[in-house]
Amino acid sequence: MTQNPVTRAVVIGTGHYLPARVVPNAEFAATLDTSDEWIVSRSGIERRHFAAEDEATSHLAAHAARAALSQAGITVDTLDAIIVATSTPDLTFPSVATMVQAELGMTHGFAFDVQAVCAGFIYGLANAHALIVAGTARRVMVIGAETFSRIMDWSDRSTCVLFGDGAGAVILEGQPGAGDTGDRGILSIDLNSDGRYKDALFVDGGVSTTGTAGYLRMQGKEVFRHAIEKLAKTAENALQKAGLEASAIDWIVPHQANLRIIKGTAQKLGLSMDKVIVTVPDHGNTSAASIPLALSVGVAQGKIKPGDLVVTEAIGGGLAWGAVVLRW
Ligand code: UT7
């Protein structure tokens, strides 16, 4: 079928950064009533990275940004915009994105943050796609960067063993496409949120309430109950919008929160686990950073290659969830 030529937002580079400190499950067992066996069996997590005291979210993001620029083989002066997805900014404002912009020596273009918690990177991709397709920007870097270790209640064993710190970045560029599913770039997007579930996963502090950063609170079972069904549905919706079937997928790159959720979603989509990029055992849940980290690791491992059909999906606080279908 002949389609009209379109502009596609094509990935031209990826990069990631993980802080040096690796914390194995055993470290929690020393101070909390928990065990490596419980954490691995319930979540699949074996270890996570924690940022050093003097390492803020913008530092992690800038490292990932430099890696992505280097992998793309481009210099910062050719970027038009930077979007950072984060729920753990250095400061209330300015945005982490403008801090990264300064760190990279970029004095042109524009930069801003998006906040959709664990679905933040999906929302960031959607923003970049819109800017590129509208002609507002040609090259956009989307970064997911988090220091969730800063909002952990270390006495709450049901949350503090699950999260980690890190950053990942992708660079998207507007390129002409034929307008069919063989095009490289973002083919479809599905975004959702439902604020009725705001109490299932939240941080109990903030600027206009307590004046503190607060601590993460999660009804794990409640979030789990929504996750597999909503993730499979959003991936199916995005595939349908693109005019594709799940059987066309080369790689699912899911939000890395829980191996049981990742397996359950793949099963619901009828896909075997050898089509899934899994980093949760090594990274834990890094919220908005988890997908770009997994994309970058998948590329570095030689798994994700140009021309592959990639579906990425996430759910988190809000609840907010969504999926993006793209040809690498
Ligand atoms: O990134 C945003 C999206 N977030 C998610 O997707 C997270 C979704 N939820 C989950 O991944 C899972 O619900 C958890 C991993 C958080 C928990 O797994 P679960 O199988 O739902 O366990 P549970 O919360 O029902 O807890 C089972 C038991 C409880 O004890 P009782 O009440 O049965 O006696 C907990 O108190 O495990 C206990 N427990 C622990 N035991 C040892 C909770 N945390 C721990 C722990 N170590 N760290």
Side-chain angles (χ1 to χ4, degrees), residues 33-34 38 42-43 118 157-158 161-162 201 218 220-221 223-224 255 257-258 260-261 285 315-316:
D33 182 12
T34 189
W38 190 95
R42 296 302 177 116
S43 72
C118 297
R157 67 176 182 170
S158 71
V161 301
L162 301 174
L201 176 50
M218 178 166 72
K221 255 195 169 19
V223 178
F224 194 100
H255 170 47
N258 186 316
R260 287 153 60 212
I261 294 173
N285 182 347
I315 186 165

Side-chain angles (χ1 to χ4, degrees), residues 40 52 54 60 65 74 82 103 133 145 161 165 176 204 213 218 222 225 228 250 267 271 301 303-304:
V40 171
D54 60 353
L60 274 51
I74 63 166
I82 298 173
E103 184 74 26
V133 169
V161 301
D165 301 338
D204 65 1
M218 178 166 72
E222 169 81 352
R225 200 170 59 76
I228 296 174
D250 292 302
Q267 196 178 7
L271 295 170
Q301 289 176 340
K303 290 180 173 170
I304 302 172

Side-chain angles (χ1 to χ4, degrees), residues 13-14 64-75 171:
T14 58
R66 285 199 188 92
L69 286 168
S70 153
Q71 208 244 8
I74 63 166
T75 52
I171 303 171

